[in-house]
Amino acid sequence: QVQLVESGGGLVQAGGSLRLSCAASARTFSSSAMGWFRQAPGKEREFVAVISWNGGGTYYADSVKGRFTISRNNAKNTVHLQINTLKPEDTAVYYCAAGGTTAAYYPGGPSRGLYWGQGTQVTVSS
């Protein structure tokens, strides 16, 4: 059974940084895109970032450009999200997703058929 397990969330003050990680098991995603979505309380899940299978293409939501960086390690079947200059509005549960191409994530995603993690909470205090 495919599992995606996120880690690295927590409580941080505004302006701080976090590094989220997502490890996949039971299947390799080295030929698939991987990405991150988030869902704040009372809001719909929204796209954050996606990276192509070889890391050659990355796309970000406008709200996180310049502050978030997505990366991946295909040898370890992992994807990471470096979050800098955190803002209170970044508070959300962050979900890792894997599968498909970048088009499955953005602009019209997420598409059906992606694999999802259980989420990790990021809380930013002002």
Side-chain angles (χ1 to χ4, degrees):
Q1 181 177 355
V2 175
Q3 278 193 317
L4 299 177
V5 179
E6 301 98 335
S7 60
L11 173 63
V12 64
Q13 288 188 329
S17 298
L18 283 174
R19 179 176 170 84
L20 306 184
S21 295
C22 173
S25 61
R27 173 186 160 167
T28 177
F29 289 99
S30 59
S31 299
S32 302
M34 301 182 78
W36 294 88
F37 291 79
R38 67 186 181 185
Q39 187 167 18
K43 295 187 177 181
E44 293 186 353
R45 188 173 299 191
E46 65 174 358
F47 167 77
V48 174
V50 62
I51 186 167
S52 63
W53 68 275
N54 63 352
T58 57
Y59 303 91
Y60 298 91
D62 288 342
S63 59
V64 308
K65 282 180 181 177
R67 300 188 297 121
F68 290 20
T69 303
I70 190 171
S71 61
R72 66 187 296 163
N73 184 328
N74 284 344
K76 296 184 177 180
N77 218 16
T78 57
V79 64
H80 307 278
L81 188 68
Q82 178 67 40
I83 308 175
N84 297 327
T85 319
L86 277 157
K87 303 176 180 180
E89 52 263 43
D90 294 320
T91 294
V93 178
Y94 284 71
Y95 296 91
C96 169
T101 66
T102 56
Y105 300 72
Y106 178 83
S111 299
R112 293 183 179 180
L114 297 182
Y115 294 91
W116 293 91
Q118 82 290 350
T120 186
Q121 176 72 47
V122 172
T123 302
V124 184
S125 63
S126 58

